[in-house]
Amino acid sequence: MIKQSNALQRLKDVLSKANETGNNNEKAGPLLLKSMCLEAEPSNLIDFYELLNKAVEEVRKLEYSLSESDYIHVLLALQKVCIERHLWSVNWATVSTHINSTNTITILSLLASKVHGQKPTILFDQTFLDELKLKFESLFERVRDSDLSDELKRFLLTRIDDILIAIRRYHVDGSQGLEKTNKLLIADLLLKEHEITPEDKKNPLLKSVMALPLVLVGHFFSFSAVDLISAVPAVNTYWIPRIEVLTSKTDELVGTKPSQAETETLQDFSKSALTVIDSQSSRNRIEAEKPREIAPASPAAILPEPAKETEEEE
């Protein structure tokens, strides 16, 4: 089954890990950063607050018939605690008491499932991300040291660096950031093709640059065969992403039709990629239960009951 990649799920995982590994006397800020695999530096707390803000926005965008006010106020209350209590200096007991008394983790889990049901996105584990980072760093070095024209080289290095940033910021932006930067490289390169010199078009490195994001987006995020540029994620099946699949399909794609390497356009190359990417994907993925298309449970079943007000004596 696919692990979810949305801000609500990532926030839930961070808080759960902090709850499991931290102690009440530990400072909240460093503990939260450790749960996000970040260095314990005050400046890195910006990433946690950004993740919290993204989670709030996901709740605002949810589409279900029940009133969302009962759900979103739980996240807004968490925001207030994190801002007013100065996470870097307050003990974890303060934050832990709040999230436990308001059932924050349970509510985050339910809302994350709803978001995943409306727009499922795969979650990559740290091992995959580390190996993916090495692949794009290697590609960056090959482009930097190549004989491509300076203008094209600057463009490609900028786009590859954007992808590397998305990998480093995965704990904040998740798979959405990685998907967006890879699609941007594909789309911009296709739109820029008419400006590329004949000498650059003959360079096989150009298609190697296209192949890696094409396979990453096509196999792991899935895109429409009708329109490569305005691709829409449609991950409705469940499997574990493996770097070996990315490597083998990229190598297969780069090695496709070697006799046409100098004449095939990037647009044609992108279309031919569909055959390579989709040839085994649907048969290799493990079918499983689709995400539930239901609203989260009633707020009354999750949220703590408000304190009853005593009647004033006449």
Side-chain angles (χ1 to χ4, degrees), residues 3 5 122-129 132 170 175 178 216 220-221 241:
K3 292 183 178 180
S5 174
I122 192 172
L123 176 71
F124 298 109
D125 61 29
Q126 193 58 49
T127 299
F128 186 98
L129 292 172
L132 186 64
Y170 192 83
S175 295
L178 190 56
L216 183 64
F220 294 104
F221 293 115

Side-chain angles (χ1 to χ4, degrees), residues 267-279:
Q267 191 76 34
D268 291 337
F269 178 74
S270 301
K271 292 178 181 178
S272 68
L274 291 171
T275 303
V276 174
I277 294 168
D278 294 337
S279 59

Side-chain angles (χ1 to χ4, degrees), residues 150-276:
D150 290 342
E151 182 180 355
L152 180 59
K153 187 181 295 188
R154 283 193 298 270
F155 164 77
L156 294 177
L157 290 177
T158 299
R159 287 291 174 263
I160 296 173
D161 190 54
D162 289 342
I163 295 172
L164 288 170
I165 292 173
I167 294 174
R168 291 195 294 271
R169 285 178 51 86
Y170 192 83
H171 56 278
V172 175
D173 300 326
S175 295
Q176 295 88 341
L178 190 56
E179 180 181 13
K180 179 181 178 180
T181 51
N182 276 271
K183 284 182 178 179
L184 189 61
L185 188 154
I186 297 169
D188 285 355
L189 194 52
L190 289 174
L191 292 173
K192 192 180 180 67
E193 182 172 9
H194 70 282
E195 302 175 9
I196 299 176
T197 65
E199 292 75 17
D200 284 339
K201 288 181 179 179
K202 294 178 183 180
N203 195 321
L205 178 58
L206 190 58
K207 289 175 182 175
S208 294
V209 173
M210 279 283 285
L212 187 54
L214 272 172
V215 175
L216 183 64
V217 172
H219 185 73
F220 294 104
F221 293 115
S222 182
F223 54 71
S224 168
V226 178
D227 189 354
L228 284 168
I229 296 179
S230 60
V232 177
V235 182
N236 292 319
T237 52
Y238 297 73
W239 83 105
I240 299 174
R242 300 191 183 280
I243 202 72
E244 295 83 2
V245 176
L246 180 67
T247 301
S248 64
K249 286 189 173 291
T250 301
D251 292 344
E252 183 181 354
L253 180 56
V254 173
T256 306
K257 302 178 182 178
S259 61
Q260 299 181 17
E262 295 186 2
T263 59
E264 186 180 32
T265 66
L266 291 177
Q267 191 76 34
D268 291 337
F269 178 74
S270 301
K271 292 178 181 178
S272 68
L274 291 171
T275 303
V276 174

